[in-house]
Amino acid sequence: MDKQLATTIFESLASGVRLDVYRLLVKNAPNGLVAGEIATQLALPPTNLSFHLKALTQAGLLSVVQEGRYQRYRANLAVMRDLIGYLTAECCTGHPEQCFETDAAAGCCDAKPTLSSTPTDSTS
Amino acid sequence: MDKQLATTIFESLASGVRLDVYRLLVKNAPNGLVAGEIATQLALPPTNLSFHLKALTQAGLLSVVQEGRYQRYRANLAVMRDLIGYLTAECCTGHPEQCFETDAAAGCCDAKPTLSSTPTDSTS
DNA sequence: TTGATATTTCAATAATTGTTGTATAGTTGC
DNA sequence: GCAACTATACAACAATTATTGAAATATCAA
C-alpha cells in the first residue's frame, strides 16, 4: 500500500454510487453479483454502472471474472484490510495509550460491539 | 455513520494533499500540530493548506482549537473507527467464514503485523 | 498605538469527474 | 448465418474540485 494506491481507493469510495456498489458487494461476499444484478438492485443505467465498476475495479477494490456473457464482480476484502493498516500503522507515535481501541474491523462477522459507540476522549 | 457522512469522509481523503495531512496528524496524535507546522512539513502554501484543512475538519476527521494566534489541528480517531465499522458491519451476510481476518486496525500501537503484506511506506 | 505573525476568506482560473445516449463487442441459442 | 442479450467504450456536456495570489481578520509584542 503506497500513497498513490490509497488515494485511488479513497477516490473510488468518494461517490455515493460507488459506495453503494462496494457495500452491496461486501454484503454479498464472497459470491459477488453480476453487473445486471447490481444495476437492478441500485436502479442505475448500465452505462453509468459500468463507469463506476471500472473505477472500483481499477482501484483494486473489486475483482471481476467472466461467466459466459455475464461479468461477475466481487469485493476484494484484502485490499480494504490493507488500506486500514495503511491509515493506522503509524498512529500516535510515542503515545500508544491514546490510540484506537480497535478491534475495529472485527465488527465484521466477529461482531464485537465494543467499539461502536465508545467515544475516546473528545475534543469536538 | 450514514452514507452521506461516509461519502464526505472518503472525499476528504481522496486527495494526495489531504491524505498527507491526515496521516501526519494521525502520526502526531494526540498532540496535533498547528497549521504552520503542517504547512512547513508538507511544503504547502498556507492558502492551499487552509482549503484542505477546512475540508478535513468539516468532514469530522480533524478537530481544531485556537491557541493564541495559532490553530491546532488534531486527528479525530473515533471518526475513523466508526467509518471502518460502517464499511465492515454488513459484510459477508450469511458467510462469516469468508470475512476479514482482522485484527486490522489493531496495527495501530498493538503492532500486530499478522494482516498485511507490506506494513508501511511512510514517505510522503 | 504600530508593525509583525498566523491563518482564513474571496475571486479567478485550471483541471478533473459524473452522467447520459449512441455505438460497439462478445455470448448464447436457433 | 441471424437475432436477442449483456456489458463496455466513446463523445458531449454538466458539474464539481484544486490551486493560486491578494486582501481581510485576529493575535502578539513593543
Side-chain angles (χ1 to χ4, degrees):
Chain A
M1 182 68 56
D2 62 1
K3 175 179 154 185
Q4 174 57 54
L5 176 56
T7 302
T8 301
I9 292 173
F10 285 123
E11 281 170 2
S12 297
L13 294 172
S15 138
V17 172
R18 290 194 295 268
L19 188 54
D20 283 342
V21 171
Y22 181 72
R23 297 224 312 149
L24 180 62
L25 288 171
V26 168
K27 196 183 303 185
N28 285 278
N31 291 335
L33 297 170
V34 301
E37 292 172 325
I38 301 170
T40 300
Q41 291 206 31
L42 300 180
L44 292 170
T47 302
N48 192 17
L49 175 62
S50 187
F51 170 81
H52 291 297
L53 285 172
K54 185 180 175 185
L56 286 162
T57 303
Q58 287 183 339
L61 284 170
L62 304 184
S63 60
V64 56
V65 294
Q66 185 160 2
E67 291 183 358
R69 64 184 124 174
Y70 303 91
Q71 299 285 329
R72 178 167 297 272
Y73 287 87
R74 291 184 172 87
N76 191 346
L77 301 181
V79 169
M80 179 55 61
R81 194 191 52 199
D82 289 349
L83 178 67
I84 294 169
Y86 174 75
L87 279 174
T88 58
E90 301 187 84
C91 82
C92 308
T93 307
H95 301 275
E97 72 280 4
Q98 293 290 339
C99 254
F100 287 88
E101 309 270 325
T102 70
D103 289 342
C108 173
C109 303
D110 281 320
K112 283 192 181 176
T114 55
L115 45 98
S116 48
S117 54
T118 35
T120 49
D121 61 329
S122 235
T123 54
S124 335
Chain B
M1 181 69 54
D2 63 2
K3 176 179 153 185
Q4 174 55 55
L5 176 56
T7 302
T8 301
I9 292 172
F10 285 123
E11 280 170 3
S12 297
L13 294 171
S15 139
V17 172
R18 289 195 295 268
L19 188 54
D20 284 343
V21 170
Y22 181 72
R23 295 223 315 148
L24 181 62
L25 288 171
V26 168
K27 196 183 304 185
N28 285 278
N31 291 336
L33 296 171
V34 301
E37 291 172 325
I38 301 170
T40 300
Q41 290 206 33
L42 300 180
L44 292 170
T47 302
N48 192 18
L49 175 62
S50 186
F51 171 82
H52 290 298
L53 285 173
K54 185 180 175 185
L56 286 162
T57 303
Q58 287 182 337
L61 284 170
L62 305 184
S63 60
V64 57
V65 293
Q66 185 160 2
E67 291 184 357
R69 66 184 125 171
Y70 303 92
Q71 299 283 328
R72 177 167 297 270
Y73 287 87
R74 292 182 172 88
N76 190 347
L77 301 181
V79 169
M80 179 56 60
R81 193 192 53 199
D82 289 349
L83 178 67
I84 295 169
Y86 174 75
L87 279 174
T88 57
E90 301 187 84
C91 82
C92 308
T93 306
H95 302 274
E97 72 282 3
Q98 293 290 340
C99 255
F100 287 88
E101 309 272 325
T102 68
D103 286 339
C108 171
C109 303
D110 282 321
K112 284 190 180 177
T114 55
L115 44 98
S116 63
S117 38
T118 45
T120 316
D121 83 328
S122 88
T123 45
S124 308

